[in-house]
Amino acid sequence: GGGVGGGGWGPGAEELVLFAWDIDCLSSYIAKKLNGYINHALQGGMGDSHGDGVGDGEGQPEALALAHSRVSDAIAQSLNDAKVPLDGMVQTAWEVIASQVSSQCMAQLGAVKGVTATYRMTNKPAPTQPSTFVVNILKPLRDFVHAWGDRVPGSIMNQEWEGSVVVLVIERYLSTIMELLGTVKQMEEALAKRKIKSKAKGNKGGLSDADKILLQLLLDVRSFGDTLETHGVDHTTNEEYVKLLAEVAPAERFLAGALEDDAL
């Protein structure tokens, strides 16, 4: 099948959503209604037995009640056992869906590498605003939730499914930034060996190209953090995001100067 809602979530994702929903409904039916029907039938059988005179004599009603309880417990256990593989199928389906949606979000992170080209040897002023691509990083997740949010089973929602997708994206964002900063460091070392300064002439902030790149990354990561609350992730306490922010935190010292220059 095609992508979910035409949004390109990956082959078969739409079918997985519907499949998981149907399986979850079947699991719920087994756990609640079917078990209830069986217990109701057993209770009816007990009533018939009493009405037919079965169980007359001392201790017979208690023995019958005990037998009913044991049968009921055995049936409930059997039904619970039957639910286990169904619940496992639902869990697996949503893990695949989460992987596909997160991959779509991660594709937006390719734009991070463009930050280097923006400031390397261009004499552009220091950045004061986040990059335009940041708002689109989690757009595939937002679109998915809008299209299919009402088909997410309660068991999956309770596991903070959206948050799990966000964490995967944050981890990729971190690795992307670390790779970019490694490249920038190599660039600066190469320039230093040639005794070429990458500081832009006439720039009031006096920031090097590497400084500007790091500052842009900080602005982007901060802006990205502001979007996480929508998906149930607290950026002030989320361990993965805290690591991401720490990677670009050294640019905090450039922020005030860049904003002052922008105001002039």
Side-chain angles (χ1 to χ4, degrees):
V4 174
W9 315 114
E14 178 176 352
E15 289 81 359
L16 279 174
V17 172
L18 299 176
F19 168 78
W21 178 258
D22 289 343
I23 294 298
D24 186 70
C25 289
L26 176 59
S27 178
S28 297
Y29 175 82
I30 291 174
K32 298 176 182 178
K33 290 189 176 181
L34 185 57
N35 194 24
Y37 292 153
I38 293 174
N39 276 313
H40 181 72
L42 286 173
Q43 290 171 358
M46 283 184 63
D48 292 342
S49 296
H50 285 301
D52 292 339
V54 177
D56 291 341
E58 187 177 354
Q60 288 300 317
E62 291 79 4
L64 190 59
L66 179 60
H68 170 268
S69 177
R70 289 176 176 174
V71 171
S72 179
D73 290 345
I75 291 174
Q77 183 61 52
S78 296
L79 292 176
N80 284 332
D81 291 344
K83 270 173 45 60
V84 171
L86 297 177
D87 294 343
M89 292 168 70
V90 172
Q91 181 70 34
T92 299
W94 276 94
E95 287 174 357
V96 174
I97 294 168
S99 176
Q100 293 178 352
V101 175
S102 63
S103 293
Q104 288 294 316
C105 295
M106 292 174 189
Q108 311 301 317
L109 295 174
V112 174
K113 297 180 180 179
V115 174
T116 301
T118 300
Y119 294 103
R120 183 178 181 182
M121 308 294 285
T122 61
N123 281 347
K124 286 191 174 183
T128 59
Q129 298 293 329
S131 302
T132 56
F133 73 84
V134 175
V135 70
N136 292 321
I137 295 176
L138 294 178
K139 185 176 184 299
L141 176 58
R142 291 194 298 272
D143 290 347
F144 178 89
V145 172
H146 177 74
W148 297 98
D150 61 346
R151 290 300 180 97
V152 182
S155 60
I156 302 299
M157 291 292 289
N158 292 339
Q159 297 174 27
E160 301 179 346
W161 176 81
E162 286 184 56
S164 69
V165 173
V166 171
V167 167
L168 291 173
V169 177
I170 294 175
E171 290 174 346
R172 177 62 63 84
Y173 200 170
L174 175 59
S175 64
T176 300
I177 282 182
M178 291 178 67
E179 180 181 351
L180 185 148
L181 291 178
T183 301
V184 170
K185 182 178 180 180
Q186 292 176 357
M187 175 187 73
E188 290 293 290
E189 290 175 349
L191 290 173
K193 288 180 180 179
R194 299 174 188 172
K195 297 183 179 180
I196 299 176
K197 293 184 179 180
S198 60
K199 185 179 294 184
K201 294 181 179 179
N203 179 32
K204 293 182 180 180
L207 300 184
S208 69
D209 294 347
D211 294 338
K212 294 175 187 177
I213 291 170
L214 186 61
L215 178 55
Q216 183 66 74
L217 294 176
L218 172 63
L219 294 170
D220 293 349
V221 168
R222 279 184 165 187
S223 178
F224 176 69
D226 292 338
T227 69
L228 301 185
E229 298 290 343
T230 305
H231 303 287
V233 176
D234 184 353
H235 71 276
T236 63
T237 59
N238 180 266
E239 183 178 348
E240 286 76 14
Y241 181 78
V242 170
K243 290 179 182 178
L244 176 63
L245 185 61
E247 196 67 28
V248 294
E252 293 278 1
R253 65 184 186 274
F254 308 138
L255 193 55
L259 293 176
E260 288 175 3
D261 289 346
D262 186 57
L264 294 177

